[in-house]
Amino acid sequence: MAVKNLLVTGYRAHELGIYNQKHEGIKYIRKAITGKLLPLIEEGLEWVITPGQYGVDLWACEAVIDLKKQYPGLKCSILSAYKNPEENWKEDKKEYFSQILRGVDYYGSVSNQPYSGVWQLTARDDLLLRKTDGILMFYDEDAGEASPKFMKKRALKKHEEEGYIYLSLTSEDIQSIADEEAMNEYPGDAAQDLPEEW
């Protein structure tokens, strides 16, 4: 089944120990997301939708904004749970968020009021799951529980009951991209430099 609308979400930045946009890991996460999106785009993916939280959601938006140069038919949307989610963010994060908003095709919030309760997050998740054919999620329970666990549980339930597509990104996926990049940056067989007695 071709995925027309894909939800992409996962860790928030702080859950990965990332506290600014200069962190080396972000580019590998973006590359991993791009790698998962490409075959779906070839098969007819039209929309990538995220909840727009600071972390995997926004890095996915960045990846899509970049891919749109090559695939102009691809669209990106942020659907937040409540009005002005960035209100209490630091200035650099607010600036980054507004930069992302300039590149997305649609931005809306499920509730038109500021944060007032968990119900807004639940309503957002209901809508995101209803409007999409599948999910790409970066979340590893093995690394400890974090905020995406609720979405994962709901997506897997929908997968079992309705055949909703569930795609995952793991820390290993990201690490292998980082390792590959390191190999490309420092070509040559490192083993050749080892002393013979090894």
Side-chain angles (χ1 to χ4, degrees), residues 54-70:
Y54 183 70
V56 171
D57 298 359
L58 295 183
W59 303 328
C61 291
E62 264 190 285
V64 175
I65 291 164
D66 212 36
L67 281 165
K68 282 166 62 169
K69 296 168 194 159
Q70 202 179 337

Side-chain angles (χ1 to χ4, degrees), residues 28-136:
Y28 302 126
I29 293 168
R30 274 201 316 256
K31 266 197 160 170
I33 291 168
T34 300
K36 292 277 188 181
L37 292 178
L38 282 170
L40 297 173
I41 295 167
E42 299 291 342
E43 288 165 21
L45 178 65
E46 292 171 7
W47 281 90
V48 171
I49 304 165
T50 84
Q53 296 174 128
Y54 183 70
V56 171
D57 298 359
L58 295 183
W59 303 328
C61 291
E62 264 190 285
V64 175
I65 291 164
D66 212 36
L67 281 165
K68 282 166 62 169
K69 296 168 194 159
Q70 202 179 337
Y71 301 94
L74 185 63
K75 292 182 173 60
C76 186
S77 165
I78 291 177
L79 202 55
S80 66
Y82 46 88
K83 198 176 168 190
N84 303 328
E86 77 286 7
E87 205 166 25
N88 299 319
W89 294 3
K90 290 185 178 144
E91 277 313 309
D92 60 330
K93 287 181 184 170
K94 279 185 184 173
E95 175 49 45
Y96 170 65
F97 188 65
S98 67
Q99 182 192 325
I100 294 287
L101 288 185
R102 288 192 288 271
V104 301
D105 299 280
Y106 177 80
Y107 172 62
S109 53
V110 176
S111 161
N112 284 325
Q113 43 186 290
Y115 180 74
S116 66
V118 174
W119 67 272
Q120 291 165 308
L121 304 175
T122 307
R124 175 202 65 197
D125 293 353
D126 287 346
L127 187 63
L128 287 168
L129 288 166
R130 206 167 55 241
K131 293 282 184 194
T132 54
D133 313 306
I135 187 170
L136 169 60

Side-chain angles (χ1 to χ4, degrees), residues 18-27 30 54 59 92:
I18 295 175
Y19 298 98
N20 64 52
Q21 282 304 108
K22 294 179 182 75
H23 194 284
E24 187 72 6
I26 297 173
K27 73 175 181 183
R30 274 201 316 256
Y54 183 70
W59 303 328
D92 60 330

Side-chain angles (χ1 to χ4, degrees), residues 4-23:
K4 294 258 184 248
N5 304 318
L6 181 72
L7 167 56
V8 182
T9 191
Y11 289 109
R12 294 181 191 183
H14 69 90
E15 293 172 330
L16 292 165
I18 295 175
Y19 298 98
N20 64 52
Q21 282 304 108
K22 294 179 182 75
H23 194 284

Side-chain angles (χ1 to χ4, degrees), residues 119-176:
W119 67 272
Q120 291 165 308
L121 304 175
T122 307
R124 175 202 65 197
D125 293 353
D126 287 346
L127 187 63
L128 287 168
L129 288 166
R130 206 167 55 241
K131 293 282 184 194
T132 54
D133 313 306
I135 187 170
L136 169 60
M137 177 170 261
F138 175 25
Y139 177 53
D140 276 338
E141 278 118 329
D142 303 343
E145 283 192 356
S147 62
K149 76 173 185 177
F150 303 106
M151 180 59 94
K152 178 175 183 175
K153 196 173 169 185
R154 295 191 60 186
L156 285 174
K157 186 172 191 280
K158 191 172 161 101
H159 169 72
E160 282 163 29
E161 292 171 1
E162 302 167 33
Y164 187 73
I165 308 275
Y166 184 88
L167 304 167
S168 68
L169 251 187
T170 64
S171 302
E172 288 80 43
D173 296 331
I174 314 290
Q175 189 57 55
S176 70

